[in-house]
């Protein structure tokens, strides 16, 4: 089966998400089942929630053997070469940003195909791109990155708004998607480099 470049990058994003989930499991001294569970939850959690919300069942990963294979390979690599994987943090962050961008676009496309309102499509894109990481952090007992001051969900939302705005104006879909992917990746990586953060709300 021949893959286009978007599918290849999406698999790389899935791989990176699975690596981050497996790495979190190893850091918590989970067993093999825990490692595989966290790898899968991180990689397919957002897409699963999206599909359930719009009634698209069986959910995507149940019909895609390549996704499952990529997750298993990522989990095995993380387990066997953990000390080396930790040194690839910058590359993992890069592919994580790509995964965030591509999954955001995928979620929006699913919403558009279902005929949902444009704001809901943006929400679906954000859920697809970020909720796998949210589930990973909750399961592993860490503060969810989604709720910290990092520019993560906001990058997804910004890209989603650009997408639906241009979609409403009937611009070329392929060009829109390429631009949105680039924008989300750029926002995510630049915000990390310069430590840009959202304002923190403080209680008494």
């Amino acid at each position: 089966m021949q893959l286009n470049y978007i599918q290849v990058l999406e698999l790389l994003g899935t791989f990176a998400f699975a690596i981050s989930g497996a790495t979190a499991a190893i850091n918590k001294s989970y067993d093999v089942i825990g490692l595989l569970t966290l790898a899968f939850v991180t990689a397919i959690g957002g897409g699963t929630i999206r599909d359930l919300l719009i009634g698209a069942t069986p959910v995507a990963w149940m019909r895609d053997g390549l996704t499952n294979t990529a997750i298993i390979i990522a989990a095995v690599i993380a387990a066997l070469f953990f000390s080396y994987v930790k040194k690839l943090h910058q590359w993992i962050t890069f592919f994580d940003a790509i995964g965030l961008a591509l999954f955001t676009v995928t979620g929006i496309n699913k919403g558009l195909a279902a005929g949902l309102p444009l704001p809901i499509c943006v929400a679906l894109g954000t859920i697809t791109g970020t909720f796998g990481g949210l589930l990973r952090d909750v399961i592993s007992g860490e503060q969810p990155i989604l709720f910290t001051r990092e520019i993560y969900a906001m990058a997804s939302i910004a890209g989603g708004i650009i997408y639906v705005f241009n979609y409403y104006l009937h611009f070329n879909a392929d060009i829109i998607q390429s631009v949105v992917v680039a924008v989300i990746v750029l926002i995510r990586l630049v915000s990390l480099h310069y430590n840009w953060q959202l304002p923190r709300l403080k209680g008494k």
Side-chain angles (χ1 to χ4, degrees):
M1 180 175 62
Q2 189 173 5
L3 301 177
N4 60 42
Y5 82 99
I6 290 292
Q7 290 172 315
V8 170
L9 289 179
E10 194 165 7
L11 278 174
L12 289 172
T14 299
F15 184 86
F17 281 161
I19 285 281
S20 71
T23 301
I26 296 171
N27 281 330
K28 293 290 184 176
S29 300
Y30 288 178
D31 62 16
V32 174
I33 299 300
L35 185 147
L36 287 172
T37 299
L38 212 53
F40 266 91
V41 164
T42 307
I44 54 88
T48 298
I49 293 173
R50 174 206 65 216
D51 288 348
L52 291 175
L53 286 173
I54 65 176
T57 55
V59 296
W61 62 269
M62 291 183 175
R63 296 177 273 110
D64 183 6
L66 280 178
T67 295
N68 298 323
T69 301
I71 295 170
I72 292 172
I73 292 174
V76 170
I77 289 175
L80 295 179
F81 306 103
F82 177 65
S83 59
Y84 182 70
V85 167
K86 289 183 69 175
K87 297 177 182 178
L88 297 177
H89 175 72
Q90 290 184 334
W91 279 106
I92 293 174
T93 299
F94 175 71
F95 284 120
D96 180 82
I98 291 176
L100 172 66
L102 287 164
F103 293 159
T104 297
V105 169
T106 299
I108 293 173
N109 285 337
K110 289 262 188 173
L112 293 173
L116 297 174
L118 297 183
I120 300 301
C121 293
V122 174
L124 282 177
T126 304
I127 288 169
T128 306
T130 64
F131 270 46
L134 171 63
L135 293 172
R136 174 202 62 212
D137 294 340
V138 170
I139 292 172
S140 62
E142 298 292 333
Q143 182 181 23
I145 188 175
L146 183 61
F147 301 143
T148 64
R149 298 170 67 185
E150 285 191 21
I151 308 297
Y152 192 69
M154 187 56 66
S156 177
I157 293 170
I161 291 173
I162 293 172
Y163 190 165
V164 298
F165 177 77
N166 286 279
Y167 177 86
Y168 179 77
L169 296 177
H170 304 292
F171 285 118
N172 181 276
D174 291 337
I175 295 176
I176 295 172
Q177 292 180 37
S178 298
V179 170
V180 167
V181 168
V183 167
I184 294 175
V185 171
L186 187 63
I187 291 175
R188 177 63 180 151
L189 296 181
V190 171
S191 67
L192 285 173
H193 180 76
Y194 290 103
N195 196 30
W196 293 345
Q197 297 181 339
L198 296 174
R200 184 184 293 274
L201 300 177
K202 296 182 179 181
K204 294 182 179 179

